[in-house]
Amino acid sequence: MPFIKKKNVEFTFASRSPAAPPVTVHCHCPRQAGVALAFAMAATRATDSFTAPARPLILVIPYPAPGHMIPLLDLAGLLASRGLRVTVVATPATALLLAPLVDAHHDGAVQALVLPFPSHPALPAGVESAKDSPPTLFASLIVAFAELIGPLGSWARERSDTPDRVVAILADHSCGWAQPLAAELGVPGIVFSPSGVYGSAVLHSLFRRAPRREDESDEESQISFPDLPGSPAYPWRQLSLLYRTYKEGDEISEAVRRNFLWNLEGSAFVSNTFRRLEERYLRAPLADLGLRRVHAVGPVAPPDATGDRGGETAVSGVDLCAWLDRFPDDGSVLYISFGSMAVLQPPHAAALASALERTGLAFVWAAGKTAPIPEGFEERVVAAGGRGKVIRGWAPQVAALRHRAVGWFVTHCGWNSVLEAAAAGVAMLTWPMTADQFVNARLLVDELGAAVPVSWGGLKAAPAADEVARVLHTAIGGKHDVVARAREIAAEAAAAVREGGDSWRELEELVRELASESITKTGLDY
Ligand code: UDP
């Protein structure tokens, strides 16, 4: 059993096993302390059976947003099951998400390092994660989270002459500050991209080149990306809000820009994508990614991903699948989600709700806690015979997408949603809002032929309900090319992660390089 010591609001958990390092949790408030306590007990259970101190230790730094944490925790699990040790950084608000990963590795290969979330004047008190927060808070969150560089540097330096020394850092691309930290420690720094290669290159290109509009009021002004294959261009309004709100000389803006520029000095990128999906962007090194090698290792979601992936769900995966079992026709149900952040605006929600009522389609709408669903909609859906289900809170998305009854997905095109649908063979109806979502939507619609667009209007312009109803009606129920294409892509995704597949080989090579502490930096030899 672990012993637990409470010092004011700091908890230190230590294992009786001499080989296992203690887990220290600093907490701002009793609520966080409770969460951290529950988690740390789970983490400490794992450290009790710690058996392999000599295995190379990777420090993994996820960014506190579900769309960033979920895939990086999946990747950390893959590294741990291939013989590496990983210490994963969390704060009290995100610590519980680590518990299943720590528990799954009984040999202690996964450790948690729970640190207090750094307070910052630019961030409203109590905000420690992007979950259910508007995208406008993203920049301040990046800057506040960067303050962890101090405590993490001390933590790593304390171990530098021990068998527990960090041999590499693997950090989310919103934690670019981890790259100078890795350089200072003299170890490789690997950048984890929670986006695809194309989406990541576009984002880094913006901060690298800082393109501006000739007319500052023209939202349609075309911004081109001359260093990317095909030299794509996007109207200003379709670019990431993080870049559109960048103001030269502004403290937060410059810190965010520096964050992404640091990634280009890292040792390599690793991305939750697979070669057949983004072949065009993986053929040669990209200047927009610092000409760094990109390891395409996805899809990283485990085949047995449980219902509560990413947090406690409002409805269990088992219950949702039982509800879906009632629909005899394969692919007849529409799944709807706009991701984990608060992006859906009232006019968009109204258009979608009205379209669903008009078409009478069977659907699951994973609305989260904040979606502005029109009053009375949920009651009317129930009264109309229960062909629709609204999930208020966290939904078991992967379980739903893998159910045979779900054939279509209205998605904001967050990259994880894209990969989860691609792996499940679900055809997509794209409705991008911000971030890399327009890039992902264009990849799906224009390049891969795996999706049908619902709207290109983004956050500002909502489509008419009639138009949404027409798109849904035409897609679902008819014979559509994208359904066959979605199945092909799912087969390619499965082949990529199978032993000997493209992603499998990339992952093996990454593990080999991490273990030997020699990272191939440039992409020139791939
Ligand atoms: N997700 C989930 N349940 C929800 C909402 C989201 O499981 O109710 C998961 C989803 O499966 C995906 C992630 O959260 O893994 C969202 O990431 P994505 O990149 O799609 O969008 P973001 O939230 O980053 O905009």
Side-chain angles (χ1 to χ4, degrees):
M1 282 295 291
F3 65 82
I4 299 168
K5 201 168 68 178
K6 184 177 175 231
K7 293 190 252 159
N8 299 326
V9 284
E10 174 184 309
F11 296 87
T12 303
F13 302 86
S15 166
R16 291 231 170 106
S17 161
V23 176
T24 302
V25 184
H26 310 260
C27 301
H28 295 300
C29 67
R31 181 188 65 80
Q32 289 182 340
V35 170
L37 177 67
F39 161 71
M41 292 190 77
T44 313
R45 267 201 306 282
T47 63
D48 274 344
S49 56
F50 193 77
T51 54
R55 287 195 262 163
L57 176 69
I58 316 298
L59 180 62
V60 175
I61 311 178
Y63 178 74
H68 293 231
M69 278 197 89
I70 291 171
L72 186 47
L73 295 186
D74 286 340
L75 177 58
L78 290 170
L79 299 180
S81 56
R82 279 167 172 74
L84 298 173
R85 277 189 296 158
V86 294
T87 290
V88 186
V89 178
T91 68
T94 56
L96 273 181
L97 293 182
L98 270 60
L101 180 65
V102 171
D103 267 353
H105 292 271
H106 303 295
D107 57 356
V110 180
Q111 306 274 324
L113 177 62
V114 185
L115 297 168
F117 191 93
S119 66
H120 194 283
L123 201 61
V127 176
E128 297 192 3
S129 158
K131 190 174 179 192
D132 294 330
S133 297
T136 43
L137 283 182
F138 219 71
S140 312
L141 201 56
I142 287 176
V143 176
F145 198 64
E147 298 293 320
L148 283 186
I149 190 170
L152 282 176
S154 308
W155 182 88
R157 276 188 294 273
E158 275 166 23
R159 283 156 181 76
S160 57
D161 292 325
T162 75
D164 286 329
R165 95 191 153 83
V166 170
V167 305
I169 296 182
L170 170 60
D172 186 274
H173 76 189
S174 295
C175 308
W177 47 269
Q179 301 310 320
L181 175 62
E184 188 210 312
L185 295 170
V187 300
I190 314 290
V191 182
F192 172 71
S193 165
S195 305
V197 184
Y198 182 19
S200 194
V202 165
L203 181 67
H204 284 88
S205 179
L206 290 169
F207 285 109
R208 183 172 80 96
R209 300 181 306 112
R212 304 313 299 176
R213 296 174 282 180
E214 271 178 28
D215 173 358
E216 285 291 312
S217 63
D218 184 6
E219 292 283 300
E220 298 300 327
S221 183
Q222 293 288 312
I223 302 296
S224 58
F225 294 86
D227 296 330
L228 281 173
S231 304
Y234 285 80
W236 176 261
R237 66 178 174 81
Q238 294 187 353
L239 302 178
S240 164
L241 193 65
L242 202 54
Y243 180 69
R244 280 188 286 133
T245 50
Y246 165 73
K247 287 190 201 72
E248 205 180 326
D250 170 71
E251 201 184 324
I252 298 282
S253 289
E254 293 300 350
V256 169
R257 182 175 185 204
R258 203 162 46 244
N259 175 80
F260 286 101
L261 295 183
W262 272 325
N263 289 332
L264 308 183
E265 293 165 23
S267 304
F269 279 78
V270 54
S271 179
N272 181 20
T273 189
F274 55 101
R275 184 161 287 271
R276 294 296 291 271
L277 196 68
E278 292 199 273
E279 191 122 47
R280 195 178 188 202
Y281 307 97
L282 283 160
R283 256 180 230 141
L286 301 175
D288 289 320
L289 293 180
L291 298 175
R292 291 300 186 257
R293 168 162 193 162
V294 180
H295 291 270
V297 298
V300 292
D304 58 347
T306 52
D308 60 356
R309 178 179 159 74
E312 200 183 331
T313 52
V315 52
S316 75
V318 171
D319 287 350
L320 183 58
C321 288
W323 186 84
L324 287 166
D325 285 345
R326 303 183 325 169
F327 297 91
D329 294 338
D330 289 359
S332 59
V333 180
L334 175 66
Y335 183 81
I336 302 158
S337 171
F338 291 86
S340 62
M341 287 184 266
V343 295
L344 200 62
Q345 302 299 300
H348 301 70
L352 178 56
S354 170
L356 290 171
E357 288 195 271
R358 280 178 218 194
T359 55
L361 288 167
F363 69 88
V364 174
W365 186 349
K369 284 192 177 138
T370 55
I373 293 182
E375 215 165 295
F377 172 76
E378 288 164 75
E379 292 76 8
R380 288 197 298 278
V381 166
V382 173
R387 287 184 66 75
K389 194 175 194 59
V390 176
I391 301 177
R392 288 288 195 176
W394 197 248
Q397 176 162 311
V398 170
L401 291 175
R402 289 177 182 177
H403 193 283
R404 50 138 204 98
V406 173
W408 289 86
F409 181 10
V410 170
T411 173
H412 72 314
C413 303
W415 187 250
N416 296 289
S417 294
V418 167
L419 267 240
E420 288 158 8
V426 171
M428 285 172 260
L429 292 152
T430 59
W431 196 339
M433 297 291 172
T434 180
D436 55 350
Q437 295 154 18
F438 283 95
V439 178
N440 301 340
R442 273 196 18 198
L443 176 78
L444 290 167
V445 174
D446 298 342
E447 294 187 38
L448 296 169
V452 176
V454 176
S455 166
W456 295 106
L459 286 171
K460 281 197 181 132
D466 279 351
E467 177 56 13
V468 179
R470 188 194 62 75
V471 174
L472 299 186
H473 185 74
T474 314
I476 303 164
K479 262 196 163 304
H480 215 295
D481 288 349
V482 303
V483 172
R485 185 69 187 110
R487 290 201 189 114
E488 266 172 36
I489 290 174
E492 290 168 0
V497 292
R498 212 171 284 139
E499 187 168 344
D502 290 332
S503 297
W504 183 90
R505 281 187 286 112
E506 289 274 332
L507 183 63
E508 293 288 311
E509 194 163 331
L510 178 66
V511 169
R512 241 192 335 270
E513 292 195 354
L514 287 169
S516 64
E517 297 177 51
S518 81
I519 301 291
T520 309
K521 266 197 177 175
T522 70
L524 293 173
D525 52 350
Y526 70 90

